[in-house]
């Protein structure tokens, strides 16, 4: 059944986007996985066709598209492969900060290029010494005349190699009490003196996604690159994490649906003991259980997408969806690998890639433990 927020124009858009991906992404995806990066050329093609940040206001070159278009884009990208997550991050996680907290000048300077694919963005919160405990970051930005002097290190940064524009979470007031009140967001551009990139990190999964370390050694960032107000960074992050977690839930739900389809097809093809393995009741029950969980996830998720589109605060529910749907997708992936037998462990079967790609969804955008902390806090226990 189609979700209530999907209308005729979204169906048409989905068909067009799918055709684009069939031509420009599916045939090359395995190669990108081997190379460990998605070429910039693909980003530019996405931009040319209007598939990057279509929600941005028309005055900055966007299409003013509603969030249902973002949902369609995220689902179709995930169907190609989870490594496309960097594009989702750019579209629906990083660029929204610029659009919401940027000055008119910042928006005019950067938004059109984010839409065309000339600029690829990233957000750098995590450091070697601080992930879940964001207020514990050590990167500092000290004002010196017309510049901030930034010192510190970030790690695990999605699009870290490609990024031209990075929102860096840093402390402009390291002595603030409580510490989160000293956090600000600075926009660091590619050629900033004192900014360097480290290794492209070797990961268990998401092989085509470029994830990197970033270093700042007396990096000179123009003061006009402050995003929003000094000391408000933590609040901006809290505000925007709702959509980030929703995007992760959408991707995990889509992955579970893809994995289920692969597995259903496989068990109906594979024969053992003179029967299709789909005819064993134990196999049928496992598929029945997976189908039920996937349906539960989809119903909850579609409901949340609708509420989010109405502008409601869904922080608690989105935390629930993020942990539950990503754990469900992990269960579905593990069960499906088992149902594929030895072939499931072979790279030539898609389930192998899906199996190693899914666990990170329970880790990034706030670990599932952090999700439960938020839910518990809001339960006023
Ligand atoms: C592929 C990938 C891409 C990423 N992309 C980005 C990115 O683009 N930008 C960015 O800033 N970051 C990114 N991250 C970082 C990610 O957000 C962090 O890894 C995550 O927030 C967890 O932080 P950590 O790794 O420091 O783990 P830690 O915070 O050290 O946690 C370790 C374990 O302890 C648990 N834990 C911590 N505190 C508590 C507590 N109070 N109670 C119970 N359990 C607790 C955690 O849940 C986890 O299981 C990415 C990570 C990966 C793997």
């Amino acid at each position: 059944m189609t979700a209530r927020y999907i209308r005729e124009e979204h169906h048409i858009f989905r068909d067009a986007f799918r055709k684009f991906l069939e031509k420009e992404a599916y045939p090359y995806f395995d190669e990108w996985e081997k190379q460990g990066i998605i070429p910039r050329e693909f980003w530019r093609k996405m931009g040319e066709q209007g598939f990057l940040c279509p929600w941005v206001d028309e005055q900055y070159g966007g299409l003013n598209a509603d969030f249902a278009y973002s949902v369609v884009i995220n689902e179709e990208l995930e169907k190609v492969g989870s490594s496309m997550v960097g594009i989702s991050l750019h579209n629906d996680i990083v660029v929204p900060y610029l659009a919401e907290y940027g000055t008119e000048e910042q928006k005019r300077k950067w938004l059109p290029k984010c839409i065309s694919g000339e600029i690829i963005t990233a957000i750098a919160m995590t450091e070697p010494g601080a992930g879940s405990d964001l207020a514990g970051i050590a990167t500092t930005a000290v004002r010196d005349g017309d510049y901030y002097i930034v010192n510190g290190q970030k790690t695990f940064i999605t699009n870290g190699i490609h990024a031209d524009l990075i929102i860096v979470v840093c402390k402009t007031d390291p002595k603030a009490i409580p510490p989160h009140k000293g956090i600000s967001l600075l926009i660091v551009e590619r050629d900033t003196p004192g900014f360097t990139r480290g290794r492209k990190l070797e990961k268990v999964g998401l092989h085509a996604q470029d994830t990197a370390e970033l270093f700042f050694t007396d990096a000179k960032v123009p003061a006009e690159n402050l995003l929003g107000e000094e000391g408000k960074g933590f609040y901006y992050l809290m505000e925007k994490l709702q959509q980030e977690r929703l995007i992760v839930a959408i991707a995990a739900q889509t992955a579970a649906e893809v994995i289920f389809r692969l597995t259903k097809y496989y068990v109906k093809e594979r024969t053992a003991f003179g029967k299709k393995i789909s005819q064993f009741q134990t196999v049928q029950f496992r598929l029945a259980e997976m189908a039920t969980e996937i349906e539960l996830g989809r119903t909850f998720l579609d409901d949340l997408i609708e509420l989010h589109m109405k502008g409601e605060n869904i922080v608690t529910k989105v935390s629930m969806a993020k942990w539950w749907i990503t754990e469900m997708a992990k269960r579905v992936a593990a069960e499906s690998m088992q149902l594929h037998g030895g072939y499931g462990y072979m790279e030539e079967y898609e389930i192998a890639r899906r199996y190693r790609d899914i666990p990170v969804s329970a880790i990034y955008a706030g670990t599932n433990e952090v999700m439960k902390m938020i839910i518990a806090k809001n339960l006023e226990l």
Side-chain angles (χ1 to χ4, degrees), residues 71-223:
V71 175
V72 169
I73 293 175
N74 281 299
E75 288 178 347
E76 294 306 319
L77 287 175
E78 178 61 40
K79 286 179 198 168
V80 178
S82 304
S83 295
M84 306 293 263
V85 64
I87 300 171
S88 306
L89 177 103
H90 170 84
N91 273 358
D92 295 310
I93 297 172
V94 189
V95 179
Y97 283 91
L98 297 177
E100 178 133 5
Y101 306 115
T103 60
E104 194 50 37
E105 206 184 333
Q106 289 171 338
K107 289 197 267 192
R108 293 213 174 277
K109 186 171 168 199
W110 291 316
L111 287 179
K113 290 184 178 173
C114 292
I115 295 165
S116 67
E118 282 164 87
I119 285 184
I120 296 177
T121 61
I123 183 158
M125 298 178 253
T126 310
E127 300 183 354
S132 303
D133 180 15
L134 196 56
I137 57 160
T139 299
T140 54
V142 178
R143 184 77 189 249
D144 180 13
D146 290 342
Y147 291 90
Y148 283 98
I149 306 300
V150 181
N151 280 289
Q153 183 182 342
K154 298 286 177 182
T155 194
F156 307 148
I157 306 308
T158 302
N159 297 339
I161 297 294
H162 271 330
D164 306 289
L165 206 71
I166 303 161
I167 297 179
V168 179
V169 181
C170 45
K171 282 202 171 152
T172 40
D173 181 4
K175 295 199 185 91
I177 298 171
H180 69 259
K181 291 200 165 166
I183 290 181
S184 304
L185 308 184
L186 279 186
I187 302 167
V188 175
E189 294 172 86
R190 157 176 286 285
D191 50 6
T192 301
F195 161 53
T196 51
R197 293 161 216 258
R199 293 173 296 149
K200 178 153 73 65
L201 301 164
E202 300 272 328
K203 304 187 295 300
V204 169
L206 305 187
H207 288 168
Q209 170 43 230
D210 60 305
T211 311
E213 296 169 318
L214 310 176
F215 300 100
F216 305 92
T217 313
D218 290 332
K220 256 181 113 176
V221 180

